[in-house]
Amino acid sequence: MKFALDDEQLEFGRTLGRMLGAADTPSSVRAWARGDHGPGLAVWERLARAGVFGLAVPEAFGGAGPLPVEVAVAFTELGRYAVPGPAVETVAVSVLLARLAEAGRPVLAEAWLPRVCDGGARVTAALPGAPGGSPYALDADVCDGVFVAAGGPDDLFLATGHGPVQPSLDPARRLALPRCGAEPVAAGRAVREAARHAADWAAFAAAAQVLGVGLALLERTVGYVRQRKQFGVPVGAFQAVKHRLADVRVGLEFAGPLVYGAAVALAAGAPGARAEVAAAKAAASDAAYAAARAALQLHGAIGYTAEYDLSLWLGKARALRSAWGTPADCRARTLDLFS
Amino acid sequence: MKFALDDEQLEFGRTLGRMLGAADTPSSVRAWARGDHGPGLAVWERLARAGVFGLAVPEAFGGAGPLPVEVAVAFTELGRYAVPGPAVETVAVSVLLARLAEAGRPVLAEAWLPRVCDGGARVTAALPGAPGGSPYALDADVCDGVFVAAGGPDDLFLATGHGPVQPSLDPARRLALPRCGAEPVAAGRAVREAARHAADWAAFAAAAQVLGVGLALLERTVGYVRQRKQFGVPVGAFQAVKHRLADVRVGLEFAGPLVYGAAVALAAGAPGARAEVAAAKAAASDAAYAAARAALQLHGAIGYTAEYDLSLWLGKARALRSAWGTPADCRARTLDLFS
Amino acid sequence: MDLDLTPEQEAFRSEARAWLAGHVPRAPLPSLETEEGFAEHRAWERTLHAGRWSAVDWPAAYGGRGCSFLEWLVFEEEYWAAGAPARVSQNGIGLLAPTLLGHGTEEQRARILPAMASGETVWAQAWSEPEAGSDLASLRSVAVRTAGGWLLSGQKTWSSRAAFADRAFGLFRSHAGAGRRPHEGLTCALFALDAEGVQVRPIGRLDGRPAFAEIFLDEVFVPDRDVVGTPGDGWRVAMSTAGSERGLALRSPGRYVAAARRLVALWRAAADPGDTALRDRVADAVVRARAYQLYGYACAAGGPRGAEPSLTKLFWSELDLALHETALDLLGPYGELAGPAGDAPAHGGWAEGYVFALAGPVYAGTNEIQRDIVAERLLGLPKGRRA
Amino acid sequence: MDLDLTPEQEAFRSEARAWLAGHVPRAPLPSLETEEGFAEHRAWERTLHAGRWSAVDWPAAYGGRGCSFLEWLVFEEEYWAAGAPARVSQNGIGLLAPTLLGHGTEEQRARILPAMASGETVWAQAWSEPEAGSDLASLRSVAVRTAGGWLLSGQKTWSSRAAFADRAFGLFRSHAGAGRRPHEGLTCALFALDAEGVQVRPIGRLDGRPAFAEIFLDEVFVPDRDVVGTPGDGWRVAMSTAGSERGLALRSPGRYVAAARRLVALWRAAADPGDTALRDRVADAVVRARAYQLYGYACAAGGPRGAEPSLTKLFWSELDLALHETALDLLGPYGELAGPAGDAPAHGGWAEGYVFALAGPVYAGTNEIQRDIVAERLLGLPKGRRA
């Protein structure tokens, strides 16, 4: 057993972090929220070149995967830098189409996945019938393919359009109801099973992403309370502030192993993977949400303003908590962890 | 509307408080825990003379009740001074027998309640079939009458004996399984309804009692942290300590009105009284348990010792949390509060 | 001890209920943190005032009904139960009005209160400054004596409603000098937000809406008649308002009772009835709302009214957040939807309420400060450096 | 990155499992905080030692198997899963042994460790004093130099196991003097609890059982060979132990994994399956136990092992309490039953476990102190007076 990232994985994370740190993602997020996708898509191009969108795609379709550990590494960085766009949903579509291919229906995977990997096509998904799924598709307005699994979900559609973009508590998340034609692109039990797997992977990627969001919130807040003074001393010298941030640190510290535990379970295709993913999603969401609450409280009024960058992570912590399975949904699936 | 105690009720509480404060109840509790009931029964005699055991008994049977507001006043003081004995259960038996009398079966009420009021008979109850009820009877070894409502509960028994006394996390609480003969002393649907009312009243009295326990825990802890020094300053000057006790104060402050709200609802015989009682029991139990956790933590090791008096209240906060309905049981009954 | 209203009080409740049923807008108004919504909320204040429901506890001379505190609680219950709009005049009615009633002159009351009650003048609060948030005593804005009044200069921030309001009230350092303690020598002054020398820069809150603003003041003239209380005595004037700001008067129990009812309805509609994991949190919010309601009645009966506003502020701010967090968790993937676009459902406005609730533990004195106050003033624990 | 044991590690697990299945007492032993229970637990240590399972990570020379940290984790998982007794030698094996391995002489190790492993010598910890709990640097007990050794005098308290143990280890002020800082000039010394000049007064914990004791020392002679490390350097010696006291080595993940399994079983047996209000708390405990288990594996792979014992201590102490509080709430009216009398059921021993868990946030450095440490050392927040 070696439950640790290897040198290559560590370097992959550092490289992505450097790249995203240099990319001024807050500006991209603000533009994205306004519907100006240009700067965000420039970041996406770099992510595609770094291989991020191929991590959940099998080699047969142009990817390097499935590599769930690398997905966890990459999505933690995406969360840390608040990268906008349907990254989690890209993982969901990758797994959905790859599973259909495994079930003997490779057409969609062949048509879409190579382009997903190299950034040539952007995709998103709405899986209302799958655990934690939603009827809304994220960023449908910037995607080439919007996959919708409806019904049991036994029917898979490629949307022909979408409704108006709904504002989210995370301004960078642009949600819309997809519109589907009458004819599914695939149907039957294989769709249902593929959609369930896709939802698991989406929950997993979201867990890694929200963990990164929580880490960024803690880091920014620690930086702020070290310099902000009230009553003549740094706010960070107040014991109540110190203890609240210490608790945040504990929560994030112990959520990390759950995310990687889920990665290992997914890599092994273990039957318990669903429970491991649920545990990771619940713990990472709770830890990041606690970080967000502490961040807002300890920044005071400035943290509550849209113009201050902290807001970009605050909204994301709240939105990702509900996306792809609320903590309550997830906890209901964890009782079997030790069975 | 006048949602406040009148002068007489305030004076009743002060009188009981003075009496109990002078009675060295900690010694009585320690003796009671060893099975030496003498000192505790001396306190009970004074409570009987003060009219405490007639508060839930109708005038027809020698009592002054039902007076739920006065019950709340008295039981808050019983909790504040950690008085041992089956006081809550005496209320339960009073209501049980009075309700049976109302239903046309006055024999038991006539035989028992006058003696209960004047302290001539001690009673306790086990109502395993009623909401929040338990198969164990408190202090059966010191009671003249042990009432057991079993079955639906449609059968009421007078126990003929009891099993071994079980140690409780509250050493003053001596629990035993009653042994019943074959013949009930009453039977039928009236028993079931009377037992449910009795359980409501018991939960209500326990809520008032545990509120008093919480108030005592807060008061003792504030006193301790003001004088105990670590790192050269009083422990009570640490912000983490101050904030934890402030939260305890908030919890207790807002549990009080719920206890009196339940009293008013019981006095009116309102159909919503059960939900009001449940709310009071849940809130008072949670507030007192938070007080107990804070008290133990802020006293440090000395609070964890049996010889230090704090322990007498700590165990009671835990035991009363579960007795006559756990907070989870109670919360399940509160959704109708505003309906 | 009872919870029964008198026949007169019952009649009052019925009158309020009937009037609200006939006047509350059927569709929710747009957010009051938008220009359009602000105007619609101002119009609603006018309607309320026409029915004399705008400030029921004020004397009739200023547009009120001279109601008791209990009647005010009852009115608030009916108001929120009817789904009536948020009060754009809240800062004026809840904070400035008690200050004027306590420290103002009769001339000030007669001039200011009726216009406040009708929504003709909407007031913003201007207390905080960039370097003085929780630490209000370190204010730097100044009031300099001039003929017939004062010249205000400096910068205020986090001024709620100031993006669209008409006038503001704030504290200014008027008597600086050696030996004075930081909270001495402050003056409470009123000024127009469109006066010469005033610049207002709206600030977007988390959802981007300009819920507050920065106010830059450069020698803004304020006549003596717009100073509240004795010049230099502003701290005492403001602290009497601080109680109102934190206590029951700012956030009435009726508001949370109505929200708890809506939460129960949401739970019954949205949750899998076989899964009661969230029910405990719903029930907990219900219990806390009921506790706050009963606490209000106890205050009305001469209990702890106003004496312990820090306890109250901790309670309502945490309850408000718990109510809204639970609702968002119940809504699952719909919880993040900030407001309807096109024909999408509004999901009960929980998301905007959540954004509003998030600020509760911060404004009106952070909850950290309130816990310090509870510990020191109510529990008697030692003061100390807070670090 | 993987979670697969090697064939050798799997074999080790199987061997441990088989041995435990054959040797763990079928009925739970009486509480080790009673004289009878202490003796039975000591006998169990002898049995464990005979199988060479008493201290698997020690070198073979002292009675161990030279196991890796990962193998120790695996052994602990099997140990607690088998329902094996609590370890009466915990204070020695978990605290004194690492100190000796780090700071002791070869003579001390050879003399002390094998007897510790066999249960022949059970050790108590003697650090705290009446005026030095969290504030360990203000210790007052002294060690005075004498021919061939030291004379210990003073009072120790909250000494776990000391009511029935054989020997104790503690810190004593040996080099007092002007200019010294409070944590300088301390010496770590070992002494027998039945030595001349030692008096032990047992103290009952909440349930009355003598889980710890006061120790009064009056010129108790300790030869030089029973001083650990350099005299006067005791603080450094003790602080290296403090990490063990707080970290994984004191409370292994396997313990909580086993408890979480038992909690799930209790939920399935005791709870109304239609009411999942408590299920969320059960699930939360399961998730946290799994997190701690995986954290342990990460430590074994060269991760944060031992570097952040304060984080670990906060985590396990709160998890332990949550596990037991949830169990008591699940047990409803049975939750308060502290132990069976007559033929009553034992309810899984949750109540005694609860009493034990209650102390977790207090001992080994209060959780308040641990949060200060996390904030200052890991987050880099300013130190300060703590008040």
Side-chain angles (χ1 to χ4, degrees), chain D residues 164-187:
Chain D
F164 307 113
D166 306 298
R167 292 177 65 79
F169 54 101
L171 280 184
F172 297 85
R173 195 160 294 285
S174 54
H175 295 72
R180 285 189 184 276
R181 294 163 62 190
H183 57 269
E184 292 175 347
L186 297 166
T187 289

PDB file of all heavy atoms in Angstrom, chain D residues 164-187:
ATOM      1  N   PHE D 164      -3.889   1.930  40.497  1.00  0.00           N
ATOM      2  CA  PHE D 164      -3.507   0.514  40.558  1.00  0.00           C
ATOM      3  C   PHE D 164      -2.158   0.218  39.906  1.00  0.00           C
ATOM      4  O   PHE D 164      -1.690  -0.917  39.959  1.00  0.00           O
ATOM      5  CB  PHE D 164      -4.584  -0.350  39.880  1.00  0.00           C
ATOM      6  CG  PHE D 164      -5.971  -0.122  40.398  1.00  0.00           C
ATOM      7  CD1 PHE D 164      -6.956   0.444  39.602  1.00  0.00           C
ATOM      8  CD2 PHE D 164      -6.302  -0.467  41.708  1.00  0.00           C
ATOM      9  CE1 PHE D 164      -8.240   0.660  40.088  1.00  0.00           C
ATOM     10  CE2 PHE D 164      -7.588  -0.255  42.197  1.00  0.00           C
ATOM     11  CZ  PHE D 164      -8.561   0.309  41.390  1.00  0.00           C
ATOM     12  N   ALA D 165      -1.538   1.213  39.275  1.00  0.00           N
ATOM     13  CA  ALA D 165      -0.312   0.946  38.509  1.00  0.00           C
ATOM     14  C   ALA D 165       0.886   0.742  39.430  1.00  0.00           C
ATOM     15  O   ALA D 165       0.807   0.936  40.649  1.00  0.00           O
ATOM     16  CB  ALA D 165      -0.049   2.102  37.546  1.00  0.00           C
ATOM     17  N   ASP D 166       2.027   0.357  38.827  1.00  0.00           N
ATOM     18  CA  ASP D 166       3.235   0.046  39.576  1.00  0.00           C
ATOM     19  C   ASP D 166       4.184   1.227  39.663  1.00  0.00           C
ATOM     20  O   ASP D 166       4.750   1.517  40.695  1.00  0.00           O
ATOM     21  CB  ASP D 166       3.963  -1.124  38.909  1.00  0.00           C
ATOM     22  CG  ASP D 166       3.042  -2.315  38.723  1.00  0.00           C
ATOM     23  OD1 ASP D 166       2.558  -2.842  39.730  1.00  0.00           O
ATOM     24  OD2 ASP D 166       2.776  -2.676  37.555  1.00  0.00           O
ATOM     25  N   ARG D 167       4.371   1.881  38.538  1.00  0.00           N
ATOM     26  CA  ARG D 167       5.363   2.955  38.486  1.00  0.00           C
ATOM     27  C   ARG D 167       4.791   4.132  37.705  1.00  0.00           C
ATOM     28  O   ARG D 167       3.770   4.015  37.036  1.00  0.00           O
ATOM     29  CB  ARG D 167       6.660   2.458  37.809  1.00  0.00           C
ATOM     30  CG  ARG D 167       7.411   1.409  38.652  1.00  0.00           C
ATOM     31  CD  ARG D 167       8.645   0.872  37.931  1.00  0.00           C
ATOM     32  NE  ARG D 167       9.684   1.855  37.700  1.00  0.00           N
ATOM     33  CZ  ARG D 167      10.558   2.281  38.606  1.00  0.00           C
ATOM     34  NH1 ARG D 167      10.509   1.804  39.840  1.00  0.00           N
ATOM     35  NH2 ARG D 167      11.475   3.180  38.296  1.00  0.00           N
ATOM     36  N   ALA D 168       5.482   5.262  37.822  1.00  0.00           N
ATOM     37  CA  ALA D 168       5.014   6.466  37.140  1.00  0.00           C
ATOM     38  C   ALA D 168       6.199   7.238  36.577  1.00  0.00           C
ATOM     39  O   ALA D 168       7.333   7.082  37.036  1.00  0.00           O
ATOM     40  CB  ALA D 168       4.223   7.355  38.094  1.00  0.00           C
ATOM     41  N   PHE D 169       5.904   8.061  35.567  1.00  0.00           N
ATOM     42  CA  PHE D 169       6.920   8.956  35.001  1.00  0.00           C
ATOM     43  C   PHE D 169       6.368  10.371  35.044  1.00  0.00           C
ATOM     44  O   PHE D 169       5.169  10.592  34.832  1.00  0.00           O
ATOM     45  CB  PHE D 169       7.298   8.549  33.577  1.00  0.00           C
ATOM     46  CG  PHE D 169       6.124   8.427  32.634  1.00  0.00           C
ATOM     47  CD1 PHE D 169       5.826   9.441  31.721  1.00  0.00           C
ATOM     48  CD2 PHE D 169       5.321   7.288  32.651  1.00  0.00           C
ATOM     49  CE1 PHE D 169       4.746   9.317  30.854  1.00  0.00           C
ATOM     50  CE2 PHE D 169       4.233   7.171  31.784  1.00  0.00           C
ATOM     51  CZ  PHE D 169       3.943   8.182  30.884  1.00  0.00           C
ATOM     52  N   GLY D 170       7.250  11.335  35.338  1.00  0.00           N
ATOM     53  CA  GLY D 170       6.765  12.707  35.452  1.00  0.00           C
ATOM     54  C   GLY D 170       7.878  13.717  35.284  1.00  0.00           C
ATOM     55  O   GLY D 170       9.055  13.367  35.097  1.00  0.00           O
ATOM     56  N   LEU D 171       7.493  14.990  35.339  1.00  0.00           N
ATOM     57  CA  LEU D 171       8.418  16.114  35.198  1.00  0.00           C
ATOM     58  C   LEU D 171       8.562  16.821  36.536  1.00  0.00           C
ATOM     59  O   LEU D 171       7.565  17.044  37.230  1.00  0.00           O
ATOM     60  CB  LEU D 171       7.888  17.122  34.173  1.00  0.00           C
ATOM     61  CG  LEU D 171       8.078  16.830  32.695  1.00  0.00           C
ATOM     62  CD1 LEU D 171       7.554  18.011  31.888  1.00  0.00           C
ATOM     63  CD2 LEU D 171       9.539  16.568  32.373  1.00  0.00           C
ATOM     64  N   PHE D 172       9.797  17.202  36.845  1.00  0.00           N
ATOM     65  CA  PHE D 172      10.087  17.848  38.135  1.00  0.00           C
ATOM     66  C   PHE D 172      11.042  19.010  37.915  1.00  0.00           C
ATOM     67  O   PHE D 172      11.936  18.929  37.067  1.00  0.00           O
ATOM     68  CB  PHE D 172      10.690  16.826  39.109  1.00  0.00           C
ATOM     69  CG  PHE D 172       9.723  15.715  39.422  1.00  0.00           C
ATOM     70  CD1 PHE D 172       9.623  14.608  38.572  1.00  0.00           C
ATOM     71  CD2 PHE D 172       8.876  15.810  40.513  1.00  0.00           C
ATOM     72  CE1 PHE D 172       8.698  13.597  38.821  1.00  0.00           C
ATOM     73  CE2 PHE D 172       7.959  14.796  40.766  1.00  0.00           C
ATOM     74  CZ  PHE D 172       7.862  13.690  39.923  1.00  0.00           C
ATOM     75  N   ARG D 173      10.840  20.069  38.678  1.00  0.00           N
ATOM     76  CA  ARG D 173      11.686  21.263  38.547  1.00  0.00           C
ATOM     77  C   ARG D 173      13.008  21.002  39.278  1.00  0.00           C
ATOM     78  O   ARG D 173      13.025  20.844  40.491  1.00  0.00           O
ATOM     79  CB  ARG D 173      10.957  22.467  39.134  1.00  0.00           C
ATOM     80  CG  ARG D 173      11.559  23.795  38.755  1.00  0.00           C
ATOM     81  CD  ARG D 173      10.573  24.928  38.937  1.00  0.00           C
ATOM     82  NE  ARG D 173       9.448  24.843  38.024  1.00  0.00           N
ATOM     83  CZ  ARG D 173       9.501  25.141  36.723  1.00  0.00           C
ATOM     84  NH1 ARG D 173      10.623  25.542  36.164  1.00  0.00           N
ATOM     85  NH2 ARG D 173       8.424  25.012  35.968  1.00  0.00           N
ATOM     86  N   SER D 174      14.089  20.924  38.536  1.00  0.00           N
ATOM     87  CA  SER D 174      15.364  20.519  39.112  1.00  0.00           C
ATOM     88  C   SER D 174      16.382  21.653  39.095  1.00  0.00           C
ATOM     89  O   SER D 174      17.365  21.616  39.820  1.00  0.00           O
ATOM     90  CB  SER D 174      15.942  19.334  38.336  1.00  0.00           C
ATOM     91  OG  SER D 174      16.015  19.657  36.963  1.00  0.00           O
ATOM     92  N   HIS D 175      16.199  22.634  38.254  1.00  0.00           N
ATOM     93  CA  HIS D 175      17.226  23.670  38.085  1.00  0.00           C
ATOM     94  C   HIS D 175      16.559  25.037  38.133  1.00  0.00           C
ATOM     95  O   HIS D 175      16.673  25.827  37.199  1.00  0.00           O
ATOM     96  CB  HIS D 175      17.955  23.514  36.753  1.00  0.00           C
ATOM     97  CG  HIS D 175      18.755  22.252  36.657  1.00  0.00           C
ATOM     98  ND1 HIS D 175      18.184  21.007  36.525  1.00  0.00           N
ATOM     99  CD2 HIS D 175      20.090  22.041  36.676  1.00  0.00           C
ATOM    100  CE1 HIS D 175      19.134  20.085  36.449  1.00  0.00           C
ATOM    101  NE2 HIS D 175      20.305  20.688  36.535  1.00  0.00           N
ATOM    102  N   ALA D 176      15.822  25.336  39.221  1.00  0.00           N
ATOM    103  CA  ALA D 176      15.176  26.649  39.337  1.00  0.00           C
ATOM    104  C   ALA D 176      16.244  27.720  39.447  1.00  0.00           C
ATOM    105  O   ALA D 176      17.387  27.445  39.820  1.00  0.00           O
ATOM    106  CB  ALA D 176      14.268  26.678  40.562  1.00  0.00           C
ATOM    107  N   GLY D 177      15.893  28.930  39.112  1.00  0.00           N
ATOM    108  CA  GLY D 177      16.878  29.995  39.260  1.00  0.00           C
ATOM    109  C   GLY D 177      16.478  31.216  38.488  1.00  0.00           C
ATOM    110  O   GLY D 177      15.647  31.156  37.585  1.00  0.00           O
ATOM    111  N   ALA D 178      17.093  32.324  38.852  1.00  0.00           N
ATOM    112  CA  ALA D 178      16.753  33.601  38.232  1.00  0.00           C
ATOM    113  C   ALA D 178      17.041  33.550  36.736  1.00  0.00           C
ATOM    114  O   ALA D 178      17.995  32.911  36.298  1.00  0.00           O
ATOM    115  CB  ALA D 178      17.547  34.723  38.884  1.00  0.00           C
ATOM    116  N   GLY D 179      16.195  34.173  35.969  1.00  0.00           N
ATOM    117  CA  GLY D 179      16.459  34.293  34.535  1.00  0.00           C
ATOM    118  C   GLY D 179      15.982  33.106  33.720  1.00  0.00           C
ATOM    119  O   GLY D 179      15.878  33.190  32.501  1.00  0.00           O
ATOM    120  N   ARG D 180      15.676  32.020  34.384  1.00  0.00           N
ATOM    121  CA  ARG D 180      15.216  30.853  33.629  1.00  0.00           C
ATOM    122  C   ARG D 180      13.777  31.067  33.190  1.00  0.00           C
ATOM    123  O   ARG D 180      12.960  31.591  33.926  1.00  0.00           O
ATOM    124  CB  ARG D 180      15.272  29.600  34.494  1.00  0.00           C
ATOM    125  CG  ARG D 180      16.674  29.099  34.674  1.00  0.00           C
ATOM    126  CD  ARG D 180      16.660  27.744  35.350  1.00  0.00           C
ATOM    127  NE  ARG D 180      18.017  27.308  35.600  1.00  0.00           N
ATOM    128  CZ  ARG D 180      18.771  26.699  34.689  1.00  0.00           C
ATOM    129  NH1 ARG D 180      18.287  26.427  33.480  1.00  0.00           N
ATOM    130  NH2 ARG D 180      20.004  26.348  34.970  1.00  0.00           N
ATOM    131  N   ARG D 181      13.442  30.588  32.013  1.00  0.00           N
ATOM    132  CA  ARG D 181      12.046  30.603  31.589  1.00  0.00           C
ATOM    133  C   ARG D 181      11.341  29.401  32.205  1.00  0.00           C
ATOM    134  O   ARG D 181      11.997  28.424  32.583  1.00  0.00           O
ATOM    135  CB  ARG D 181      11.974  30.610  30.065  1.00  0.00           C
ATOM    136  CG  ARG D 181      12.558  31.942  29.526  1.00  0.00           C
ATOM    137  CD  ARG D 181      12.892  31.863  28.074  1.00  0.00           C
ATOM    138  NE  ARG D 181      11.670  31.604  27.304  1.00  0.00           N
ATOM    139  CZ  ARG D 181      11.681  31.293  26.012  1.00  0.00           C
ATOM    140  NH1 ARG D 181      12.823  31.172  25.353  1.00  0.00           N
ATOM    141  NH2 ARG D 181      10.552  31.089  25.373  1.00  0.00           N
ATOM    142  N   PRO D 182      10.008  29.486  32.370  1.00  0.00           N
ATOM    143  CA  PRO D 182       9.286  28.488  33.186  1.00  0.00           C
ATOM    144  C   PRO D 182       9.476  27.055  32.708  1.00  0.00           C
ATOM    145  O   PRO D 182       9.420  26.127  33.514  1.00  0.00           O
ATOM    146  CB  PRO D 182       7.819  28.898  33.077  1.00  0.00           C
ATOM    147  CG  PRO D 182       7.794  30.256  32.460  1.00  0.00           C
ATOM    148  CD  PRO D 182       9.117  30.532  31.867  1.00  0.00           C
ATOM    149  N   HIS D 183       9.696  26.854  31.403  1.00  0.00           N
ATOM    150  CA  HIS D 183       9.788  25.475  30.943  1.00  0.00           C
ATOM    151  C   HIS D 183      11.240  24.992  30.914  1.00  0.00           C
ATOM    152  O   HIS D 183      11.511  23.893  30.439  1.00  0.00           O
ATOM    153  CB  HIS D 183       9.139  25.334  29.566  1.00  0.00           C
ATOM    154  CG  HIS D 183       9.726  26.242  28.539  1.00  0.00           C
ATOM    155  ND1 HIS D 183       9.232  27.495  28.306  1.00  0.00           N
ATOM    156  CD2 HIS D 183      10.770  26.076  27.709  1.00  0.00           C
ATOM    157  CE1 HIS D 183       9.943  28.074  27.355  1.00  0.00           C
ATOM    158  NE2 HIS D 183      10.888  27.243  26.980  1.00  0.00           N
ATOM    159  N   GLU D 184      12.142  25.793  31.426  1.00  0.00           N
ATOM    160  CA  GLU D 184      13.531  25.339  31.503  1.00  0.00           C
ATOM    161  C   GLU D 184      13.792  24.749  32.874  1.00  0.00           C
ATOM    162  O   GLU D 184      13.126  25.097  33.846  1.00  0.00           O
ATOM    163  CB  GLU D 184      14.482  26.518  31.240  1.00  0.00           C
ATOM    164  CG  GLU D 184      14.420  27.012  29.802  1.00  0.00           C
ATOM    165  CD  GLU D 184      15.259  28.259  29.568  1.00  0.00           C
ATOM    166  OE1 GLU D 184      15.691  28.897  30.545  1.00  0.00           O
ATOM    167  OE2 GLU D 184      15.473  28.588  28.391  1.00  0.00           O
ATOM    168  N   GLY D 185      14.785  23.875  32.943  1.00  0.00           N
ATOM    169  CA  GLY D 185      15.191  23.342  34.239  1.00  0.00           C
ATOM    170  C   GLY D 185      14.278  22.272  34.781  1.00  0.00           C
ATOM    171  O   GLY D 185      14.172  22.092  35.994  1.00  0.00           O
ATOM    172  N   LEU D 186      13.595  21.554  33.886  1.00  0.00           N
ATOM    173  CA  LEU D 186      12.757  20.449  34.327  1.00  0.00           C
ATOM    174  C   LEU D 186      13.463  19.121  34.033  1.00  0.00           C
ATOM    175  O   LEU D 186      14.269  19.025  33.101  1.00  0.00           O
ATOM    176  CB  LEU D 186      11.413  20.486  33.603  1.00  0.00           C
ATOM    177  CG  LEU D 186      10.559  21.729  33.879  1.00  0.00           C
ATOM    178  CD1 LEU D 186       9.421  21.844  32.867  1.00  0.00           C
ATOM    179  CD2 LEU D 186      10.001  21.684  35.295  1.00  0.00           C
ATOM    180  N   THR D 187      13.149  18.119  34.822  1.00  0.00           N
ATOM    181  CA  THR D 187      13.782  16.812  34.641  1.00  0.00           C
ATOM    182  C   THR D 187      12.707  15.724  34.598  1.00  0.00           C
ATOM    183  O   THR D 187      11.752  15.757  35.371  1.00  0.00           O
ATOM    184  CB  THR D 187      14.777  16.546  35.795  1.00  0.00           C
ATOM    185  OG1 THR D 187      15.894  17.416  35.616  1.00  0.00           O
ATOM    186  CG2 THR D 187      15.249  15.096  35.807  1.00  0.00           C
TER     187      THR D 187
END
